[in-house]
Amino acid sequence: MYLDKAKKQEIFGQYGKSTTDTGSAESQIALFTLRIKHLTEHVKTHHKDNVTTRSLTKLVGKRRALLDYLYDRDINRYRAIIKALGLRK
């Protein structure tokens, strides 16, 4: 499996407030980004997998909604997570 418990705790520890901080927008965005990268690689090799493509599209929408929320609430947190994850080029 590409994402185990230790990897999740590492992500939450790096981007959240602690290793058990699973609800903050930053930690959710980081987790979604990891899943998006994984699914993107899968879709590149299995281009006819429409179910995964749809899941990937829904996941990108969820991440976009969280980013919009952060942008509206606290622009500094938004800029920090964008820079940390390298989402905008």
Side-chain angles (χ1 to χ4, degrees):
M1 183 154 171
Y2 79 101
L3 189 63
D4 57 351
K5 190 173 185 178
K7 182 69 174 171
K8 279 186 182 181
Q9 285 182 344
E10 179 185 332
I11 290 170
F12 293 143
Q14 185 176 2
Y15 296 104
K17 295 175 182 68
S18 68
T19 58
T20 59
D21 179 26
T22 60
S24 70
E26 291 91 346
S27 59
Q28 288 294 311
I29 291 167
L31 186 64
F32 287 165
T33 301
L34 183 71
R35 289 178 60 199
I36 287 169
K37 287 179 183 177
H38 176 74
L39 289 177
T40 302
E41 292 302 315
H42 174 81
V43 170
K44 283 181 183 177
T45 57
H46 303 94
H47 63 277
K48 290 189 176 183
D49 190 354
N50 294 322
V51 174
T52 303
T53 304
R54 182 173 187 270
S55 300
L56 177 62
T57 305
K58 288 177 67 119
L59 200 57
V60 169
K62 284 183 180 183
R63 183 178 70 179
R64 179 75 256 161
L66 280 173
L67 286 169
D68 289 342
Y69 169 81
L70 266 184
Y71 187 83
D72 291 339
R73 298 290 187 254
D74 190 355
I75 190 73
N76 293 327
R77 286 172 57 196
Y78 171 81
R79 289 179 180 153
I81 194 68
I82 291 294
K83 187 175 182 179
L85 294 173
L87 294 178
R88 306 288 175 262
K89 297 184 181 191

